[in-house]
Structure formats: C-alpha cells, structure tokens
Amino acid sequence: EAIGKMAADLRGEMEVIRQAPLQAQVRLGDLEYVAAVEAEPPHRLNGLRGLPLGRRVRDPRVAHPAPAATRGQVPAEVPGIAEAAQADLGLVALLLAGGDQQTTQEWVLTRGWADLDRAEVLDPGHRFPAPGVTALVTTTAVLRLVADGRIGLDDPANGHLRAVRLADDTITVRELLSHTAGVDNPAPDRLYAEAAQDLVTVMGPVIGCPGPRGVAQASNGGIVVLGQLVADVTGQSYADAVASLVLGPLGLRDSSFPARVTDIPGGAVTGYNLTLEGMFRPFPAQVPTLAAVAGLWSTGADLVRLGLGWSALLPGSLAHEALTPQAPQAAQTEPDPAAPGTAPGRGRTGLGWLLSPDGEVAIIAGGGHDATAYLGVRIRDGRTYVVLTSRMIPVNTIAERLLRT
C-alpha cells in the first residue's frame, strides 16, 4: 500500500512483478523495489531495496552494445530474450545457458562486457561468481555421503559435526537440507572479505537455531553448516571434498573455489553496481567468507553440466527424494541478496532445492553484491537453464521466459 501511494504521489506507473505473503517485487518508473515486512503483526516494513533499471543507464561505455557470442545450438528465441533483458535490467554482462538430458549437449549465449574499463567483450568462457547456486554443490556432496552410508538423512547433525555444533542437538541432516532447521544466518557484514574464513570465526563455535522448525525458510546458515559437515565427515577442506565428490565426477574443469582474492581465476568477470546517476561502478574484488553458500566461480557450460548431472551421482531413489516436497516454504522476511533462494514463498522445498508451486521446476538461485545466479531444472525431463549476471538484480522474469521457450 505504501509503495502504491508513492506511485500515485509521483504520478508513476507501477507494475507488480512478483507478490508473496511477506514480500513484493514492484517496478516503479526506472527503479525496481524489493520490499519485505516482518512476519508478525503489525507487519512492519523491515527491508526495502531499490535497483535502477536499464532506462536509468547513462554510462557512455555501454552506448554501443558488445557483440553477442554463442557456443552450441542456441534456441531461436534466446537471442531476443537476452537482448530485451540486457536493455530492460541494465546489465553489463548477461549469460544464458541451457541443456537437455536426452542429448547432454549444452548451449551458451553471452551479451555485454566482462570488464568495461578494459573494453573486454564477454564470451562463453568467462567465469562468473555463482552465489546461491553454489549450494547445489554443497547439498549434492551431502547426498553423496548419504548414498555412501557415511551419514543418514535423519541423523542428528551434531553427531557428525566436529568444528562447530548446533545449539539444538535434535536438528537433523534432512532439516538442514530442506531449510527447515531454523538455523541462524551469518551477519551480512561478514559475508565477503579479502579471504575465506572458517565457520567458527564467522559464527562462533555454537550456531544458534532461533527460527521455527518444520517450515522452510531459505537459510545461508543451514548451508554453511552442511559445508562444515562435509569437511568434518571427509576429513578434508570443504573445497577439496566437493572437488572429489561433485566437481571431478561431473567434469566441471572450469569451476573452482578461490580462497583469496588473488586466487580468483583468470577470465573472471568484473562485478558492477548501477548508480542512481546511471553509471556502472565496479566492486572491489572480494571472495565469500563462507565458500559453501556462494564461493563457487564457474562458467555457464559447467553450471549446465551441474544441473544435468547432479542426479546421476546418486541412487535413483535418493535423487527422486531430493525433488520430493519436504515442507511448505515460508515467505522470506528479509531481502537477503546472498540467500540460496531468490524466489519468495509459496512453493515447497526438496532436499537442497526450492520447488515451484506447480511442482514443475526445481530452482536454486541467489545474489551477492556483485552477481546474480539462477539454475532451474524442469523436473519432468531434466531440461536445465542458467542465468548469470555481473550485478545484483532479480532475474526471475528472464528465467520464466527461458522456461517457456
């Protein structure tokens, strides 16, 4: 109502992009707002983020569009989707990719610039940060440990954790995977730094569990605890463990977890913020402090292979259970740009996945200060879609158009 009144006062044209019980995505003029309210009455506004759109862009470095680049057989509708999305959302770099389980062939299309100051044109080989989508690597590693009998889905997580423990001894591995454990999140100002940090440094030796049990709320805290569990059970670092459990078996050779800024791979895109004055401002290079939720850097083709191949690493029954609803999803009560799921809440969660309300699509997505990543899998045939950008901006409208192609 408040945003509607704002639109009327400004004589602006308001478009409701997405609405959920406790969150709305609203377009007003050349800004897109993500608004969130508290779960309890009187439902006070507790988050409002305004993101400039393409009509706001005045940066002369993007006055002339960079040529598109492709790899593989790109569907005929995709170039038009990319062109419209780049202009509408105000994107320096946009990558769309996809693939089909029957052919196992992936396609990639890129538009824009990997770096504006160097006038470096984006191509399919450039690497993007993959906030949120990183969690699919983490949860698949956990499920591989389940398949090998090293842990059980309904085991108390504290029975396998060594470096930290949860404040509630009854929380299970299944609850962590389905975002129903109510685990606390790391403080937003502790999410990025010059180097990755251990979980004890960021969240302390005992992880709080203040949230409600049994109702899913996307949780960075739950994912990073699962990352610690993978490290503790295997006796390896998180990065080494997921490399042997997931990245290696799927042949994801262009994917890595840089532990320091100096480890960010060559051919990585530069992240940008679009100012209200319409200029693209680069973010200083940083890495996520907790790798398990946002630490992966990858190419579009590698992420398609992840979406197509994760289930092949598991017994069929366990892969099916991962895509089976575990609990209803609650609306997100804070606009957390690095949360594993960006689609707010009327769907359900599987084991690591957000399931669309109609049960058609499994989604894992997120945004950091310098990037947005989305991976969707159509459940009936495994068809996979990936969207990557070099700024934090909701991309659900792009993903929905890709799903309809």
Side-chain angles (χ1 to χ4, degrees), residues 110-133:
T110 60
R111 284 185 62 92
W113 307 90
D115 186 274
L116 287 174
D117 291 332
R118 297 195 301 266
E120 183 180 345
V121 177
L122 183 70
D123 68 47
H126 277 102
R127 297 197 198 191
F128 285 74
V133 173

Side-chain angles (χ1 to χ4, degrees), residues 354-363 376-383 403:
L354 169 65
L355 307 178
S356 62
D358 59 10
E360 290 279 327
V361 185
I363 300 163
V377 176
R378 194 163 64 183
I379 294 173
R380 70 173 182 268
D381 59 9
R383 185 170 293 177
L403 181 64

